[in-house]
Amino acid sequence: MQTSVTTIERFILDQEDRYPEATGELSNLLYDIALAGKIIAAAIRRAGIANILGSAEAQNVQGEEQQKLDVLANETIKNCLSHTGRVCVMGSEEEEDIIPVPQEFEAGKYAVLFDPLDGSSNIDVNCAVGTIFSIYRRVSLEGRGTVADVLQPGVRQVAAGYVMYGSSTMMVYTTGQGVHGFTLDPTIGEFLLCAPRIVTPRVGRYYSVNESNFGRWERGVQLAVRGLHGDRPDEIRGKNSRYIGSLVADFHRNLIAGGIFMYPADTKNTRGKLRLLYEAAPMAFLAEQAEGSATDGMNRILDIQPAHLHQRTPLVIGSRHDVGYVADTLRRMQIRTSGAYTASVL
Ligand code: AHM
Ligand code: MG
């Protein structure tokens, strides 16, 4: 039996030791999120037995049906973060407005955005789901946080990550010094370091996209996906298809094995489906820190200035070479349709 292990707490503290100016607040905030992840993981594991699956009466702000576990996960994260004095304001996929910390608690210097349980439609078929989080330093000077604290471009994130509830529970995060992965050992209730400094392959093995939307995509996207199929061997080597429909799980697989995940805009979701602030931006921070990249097709996700909390964006994310291929294809099509491109790309 292995007796020397690195817990997430020790790893975070060791990293912080390298920065004499660090106050420990961000470390503690990450540890608060890890605790929320453990509580949510325990609830998910019990879900089938306790028969608490199924829809709550409410719908969320996007008009989608909420699962009971979405509500539980949302409340758990708020409870774990509100009282610590480290956070001034939160934003959640499950709540229409920003969530300033309640008056009875001290307001801290961080703004936290989260998707409490992404991919929740997968829960009742026992597939992996996840919690996604994104942390910014506040920009307002005092008091409860404001909307300006959460509407910051992804490039200003100080930390981001996810907890994946799969065959095991994993927490993966970055504070801008690489991406690190931890597996929850349920016997001791601790996240243990299992993947320090994850680097994603430059060229991926997989492509992940909901192809039932093919007929609703613009032509450039259709061309790019055909290339990923292997129809354009002069441009890119064909890849294998993998799609769960759970961003955290699809992203995680591609991060480790190499691949590209896309959720482009289509005629139904004209601005894309995924949300910029608590889905695309944190994943983009992780992808870049793992030497991959993330765009909305052509532009870097981390540079987008958000206009509102639940803003959507197209997302193309993963292995650097493959994300670049999609951007090149879209650019070529754009030039072509504007008349400036003469060579055939079809
Ligand atoms: P959710 O936040 O309502 O759970 O939806 C987000 C999920 C992502 O996890 C996943 O990538 C995407 O929706 C799948 O969408 P689709 O079923 O249209 O392929
Ligand atoms: Mg979501």
Side-chain angles (χ1 to χ4, degrees), residues 123-190:
I123 295 170
D124 39 12
V125 290
N126 211 0
C127 283
V129 290
T131 296
I132 308 172
F133 64 90
S134 163
I135 305 175
Y136 292 87
R137 206 160 276 123
R138 71 183 298 173
V139 291
S140 60
L141 299 176
E142 56 186 5
R144 315 287 105 190
T146 67
V147 83
D149 296 320
V150 300
L151 294 187
Q152 301 191 53
V155 72
R156 296 220 194 108
Q157 287 171 104
V158 293
Y162 54 82
V163 182
M164 182 170 82
Y165 313 102
S167 49
S168 60
T169 298
M170 272 195 84
M171 178 158 165
V172 175
Y173 81 89
T174 183
T175 54
Q177 287 124 44
V179 176
H180 312 290
F182 303 81
T183 301
L184 181 63
D185 180 340
T187 59
I188 58 171
E190 288 280 3

Side-chain angles (χ1 to χ4, degrees), residues 238-249:
K239 300 182 188 300
N240 223 332
S241 167
R242 291 282 186 280
Y243 189 74
I244 297 170
S246 179
L247 175 62
V248 173

